[in-house]
Amino acid sequence: MSVRLTVAQALVRFLAAQHTERDGVRRRLITATWGIFGHGNVAGIGQALVEHAALMPYHQGRNEQAMVHAAVGYARQSNRLRTHAVTTSIGPGATNLVTGAALATINRIPVLLLPGDTFATRPADPVLQQLQVPYAGDVSVNDCLRPVSRYFDRIVRPEALIPAALEAVRVLTDPAETGAVTLALPQDVQAEAHDWPEEFLAERTWRVRRPPPDEDELDAAAAAIGRAGRPLIVAGGGVKYSGAEEALSDFAARTGIPVASTQAGKGALPHDHPQDLGGIGHTGTAAADHLARAADLVIGVGTRWSDFTTASSTLFGHPGVRFVNLNVAAFDSHRLSALPLVADAREGLEQLHALLEQHHVPAHYVHEYAEEKLRWAARVDSAYAAESEDARPTQAQVLGALDTLVTPDDILINAAGSLPGDLHKLWRARSSDQYHVEYGYSCMGYEIPAAIGVALAAPGRPVWALVGDGTYLMNPTEIVTAVQERLPIKVVVLQNHGYASIGGLSEAVGAERYGTDYRFRAEDGSFTGPPLPVDLAANAASLGMRVLRARTVRDLREALAQAREATVPTCVYVETETADSVSGPPPAQAWWDVPVAETSTRPSAVKAREEYDRHVTARRRHL
């Protein structure tokens, strides 16, 4: 039997029937579609969504990149077991997807992209928004999505949809290969009718695998851990996506091995777990980085070992340090010349636990890291403390005020600027999904749309988007979507009148903070004078948000409390204190490699190069 539908109608019907299953729990895979309609998708996917509105919920976006961020936020909050689709018109609508697709793929988060494409039948050449490539008639702007997609196909005939759609869902549900999946849809093919087998449209369940470890790899990893005198676990995002938090907690408690976390892994253990040392690397804690420098074995669980985690390969300083990498992706398990343990994180930890049930690190090592943990907690207390309730708060004090308010239900979202570093060092995660910092791509403008996605995935929970003024100006448009959807997200805008993170980095590398302040430009090219008269609070209010302005620490505490209880989208706007005399967060505890000009006439760059040359000598290749 067959059903006559257009290609777009068949695709919507197919997507609505796909499910994932893990540990006996079945979930719908594509729970909604985001869209901005134009020529190239309005008559195809747009009409199909109207035709099957009862099957496929629709969310209206304002920016194509932001729609992908919202889908990523939803998928990450759902531990990659559910996601959204995103449809756009051809041309600029499609190319606006590239940044979001890169973010999804780099962070290994599933999202389905359905950009419109130019005519497959080529009735006119060129058509509106068509990219003409002299050497290839089959290239369109959607080919920009190939390198940032884990799977890409262009559906030039109706029959091609069946294998392409099945391949797309295979990748979306693969724990090792997932990321952005793109099905480019020529606008004429979307509207073309075809007779579809009922089997294609029937409900289908995709089981998300938990691959067990190879016995030989498991034995080798357990033996290495058993021999180590100063082992350290580094927990990455794979711990959370596997749902391996309890297994990690049990393993760490039983063996006494301390745990540090990457940005994606922070919260895998709650901050008050005896073995939790907080963030590691350039933005890590002094406690975690101290242990990392002397560790003789480092056990990576679900991490891809980014340069921030390894401090650009300068952090792990023990002469004989070795690595064990437990990772579902073989590609990541071999990094740093490690002993690979290719497996699901939960499966691998549970089996290692069984083999090492009688193993425990020496008591003096436990005492050492417990003391380091206490010392760091005191430094966090100091950074959070405000000398006066009537003073303008520092950025760290904003986090401190929020820290006193939240419960394990609250979810914090951030991605770029100086906040990720402060959060990684200072934030006390109370639950495994409270800390949501996108740092694989560190994309400015991620926070607000991602908060919408998280709020859709976790209704009823307080969702906070922490946004600097720089990232706010990149992408505030989805505030309108939050208002339209009646989602009570809480947006905290920290105004410091410039790019604080890059400003600090610019100063450190001899670029003298050039072009990082929001100030008027003088004739000589310098940026001088008072900050620009830009009112971001008024902007947020104009987009429909309730806005609470906080001028002092006291104001801030009251505004945050009101925002947490709000039932409408609410913005807390605060100008932060940036004067050097005000105590801020502890500085970076490890290096990060940003090359400095090798020759310069400016003293600041010469001095920065001398400092760079001193640090770079500590870099090593782990072989």
Side-chain angles (χ1 to χ4, degrees):
M1 296 291 291
S2 62
V3 180
R4 191 159 182 80
L5 300 165
T6 68
V7 169
Q9 292 164 0
L11 179 57
V12 170
R13 286 269 302 269
F14 170 83
L15 294 176
Q18 306 307 301
H19 296 79
T20 62
E21 182 181 297
R22 190 174 72 176
D23 302 333
V25 179
R26 187 169 181 262
R27 305 165 178 85
R28 179 166 160 174
L29 173 61
I30 307 292
T31 61
T33 295
W34 288 87
I36 297 176
F37 296 121
H39 83 93
N41 72 336
V42 66
I45 293 292
Q47 191 282 328
L49 289 170
V50 174
E51 187 91 9
H52 301 297
L55 291 177
M56 180 63 70
Y58 166 72
H59 299 300
Q60 183 179 6
R62 270 74 197 173
N63 175 284
E64 292 85 359
Q65 176 182 318
M67 293 193 299
V68 187
H69 293 339
V72 167
Y74 180 90
R76 176 168 168 172
Q77 183 63 30
S78 303
N79 273 350
R80 308 192 303 186
L81 299 171
R82 302 182 299 171
T83 189
H84 288 159
V86 178
T87 180
T88 72
S89 63
I90 65 176
T95 51
N96 279 351
L97 294 172
V98 174
T99 296
L103 180 147
T105 295
I106 286 171
N107 285 282
R108 321 290 169 83
I109 304 293
V111 61
L112 177 61
L113 309 180
L114 304 173
D117 211 325
T118 52
F119 286 83
T121 53
R122 305 183 191 177
D125 191 23
V127 296
L128 180 63
Q129 297 179 328
Q130 178 179 338
L131 174 70
Q132 289 186 286
V133 179
Y135 62 83
D138 63 344
V139 171
S140 80
V141 295
N142 285 333
D143 289 275
C144 295
L145 289 160
R146 289 182 183 271
V148 293
S149 298
R150 293 295 285 175
Y151 178 78
F152 179 99
D153 204 348
R154 178 176 285 112
I155 313 303
V156 296
R157 288 184 58 85
E159 305 94 309
L161 178 64
I162 294 177
L166 293 170
E167 280 296 296
V169 178
R170 178 191 66 79
V171 174
L172 289 171
T173 58
D174 190 300
E177 294 187 20
T178 196
V181 169
T182 300
L183 296 180
L185 302 169
Q187 59 178 311
D188 51 347
V189 177
Q190 287 182 50
E192 188 173 342
H194 184 71
D195 294 323
W196 303 93
E198 287 188 344
E199 295 84 354
F200 176 62
L201 305 175
E203 294 212 348
R204 190 182 301 263
T205 299
W206 302 75
R207 287 178 175 80
V208 179
R209 297 186 300 277
R210 286 194 179 277
D214 173 83
E215 287 189 12
D216 290 340
E217 289 186 353
L218 183 68
D219 289 343
I225 296 170
R227 291 192 300 267
R230 298 178 61 86
L232 173 67
I233 295 170
V234 175
V239 175
K240 297 183 181 182
Y241 300 142
S242 171
E245 295 94 339
E246 184 177 350
L248 176 63
S249 176
D250 292 346
F251 180 74
R254 179 66 191 85
T255 61
I257 301 176
V259 178
S261 55
T262 68
Q263 286 279 14
K266 188 175 173 72
L269 292 183
H271 74 96
D272 55 357
H273 190 289
Q275 273 69 51
D276 180 67
L277 298 180
I280 191 170
H282 177 65
T283 55
T285 71
D289 286 353
H290 169 77
L291 263 68
R293 291 185 176 95
D296 57 356
L297 182 74
V298 184
I299 307 158
V301 184
T303 176
R304 63 194 184 97
W305 293 113
S306 76
D307 61 337
F308 261 62
T309 302
T310 66
S312 300
S313 297
T314 64
L315 182 58
F316 302 105
H318 189 286
V321 65
R322 295 302 306 272
F323 296 82
V324 170
N325 285 342
L326 167 55
N327 204 296
V328 72
F331 177 73
D332 290 323
S333 68
H334 286 82
R335 292 185 186 275
L336 305 177
S337 301
L339 289 172
L341 185 56
V342 183
D344 171 79
R346 193 186 75 180
E347 291 292 312
L349 285 168
E350 288 179 348
Q351 294 196 37
L352 280 173
H353 192 175
L355 290 177
L356 294 163
E357 193 170 6
Q358 304 305 315
H359 176 75
H360 198 280
V361 298
H364 66 83
Y365 186 46
V366 176
H367 177 75
E368 177 186 343
Y369 68 70
E371 289 294 311
E372 291 287 340
K373 180 179 172 73
L374 286 173
R375 277 193 287 272
W376 184 257
R379 294 184 73 178
V380 174
D381 288 339
S382 176
Y384 279 175
E387 293 184 4
S388 169
E389 290 288 297
D390 295 318
R392 177 186 290 183
T394 65
Q395 183 164 281
Q397 289 163 359
V398 173
L399 300 183
L402 196 55
D403 177 77
T404 65
L405 182 69
V406 301
T407 74
D409 273 351
D410 293 70
I411 302 168
L412 274 67
I413 300 169
N414 185 243
S418 56
L419 273 166
D422 289 357
L423 284 163
H424 200 207
K425 288 194 289 280
L426 303 176
W427 188 255
R428 294 161 168 159
R430 293 157 172 80
S431 60
S432 64
D433 64 351
Q434 181 175 83
Y435 187 88
H436 182 133
V437 173
E438 185 285 299
Y439 216 58
Y441 209 40
S442 188
C443 184
M444 296 177 73
Y446 172 82
E447 294 88 347
I448 294 172
I452 292 172
V454 170
L456 291 169
R461 295 179 62 180
V463 178
W464 301 84
L466 307 184
V467 183
D469 53 311
T471 195
Y472 178 90
L473 286 168
M474 287 278 184
N475 199 8
T477 55
E478 297 313 306
I479 286 174
V480 178
T481 303
V483 173
Q484 183 179 38
E485 299 273 351
R486 296 184 174 89
L487 295 171
I489 62 171
K490 300 90 172 62
V491 177
V492 181
V493 178
L494 294 89
Q495 171 66 278
N496 55 28
H497 301 288
Y499 300 117
S501 174
I502 294 302
L505 179 62
S506 173
E507 187 171 43
V509 300
E512 303 174 30
R513 292 185 177 262
Y514 184 76
T516 63
D517 287 339
Y518 294 155
R519 299 179 185 275
F520 290 100
R521 187 168 185 141
E523 291 184 4
D524 63 359
S526 64
F527 296 87
T528 60
L532 297 175
V534 176
D535 191 338
L536 300 185
N539 178 265
S542 75
L543 297 177
M545 288 201 101
R546 177 193 181 196
V547 175
L548 304 171
R549 294 178 183 260
R551 293 177 173 79
T552 66
V553 174
R554 180 180 291 104
D555 293 344
L556 176 66
R557 296 189 196 281
E558 294 173 357
L560 292 174
Q562 289 184 48
R564 191 174 188 275
E565 299 304 317
T567 58
V568 297
T570 301
C571 172
V572 175
Y573 174 86
V574 55
E575 293 208 22
T576 56
E577 180 60 69
T578 58
D580 293 337
S581 60
V582 177
S583 175
Q589 302 298 305
W591 187 59
W592 180 45
D593 189 350
V594 178
V596 177
E598 194 167 1
T599 181
S600 175
T601 59
R602 301 186 71 84
S604 61
V606 172
K607 182 179 178 181
R609 181 67 194 198
E610 292 172 353
E611 184 71 5
Y612 178 84
D613 288 339
R614 182 178 69 82
H615 281 290
V616 80
T617 58
R619 186 165 54 203
R620 62 186 290 194
R621 295 193 183 276
H622 296 285
L623 301 171

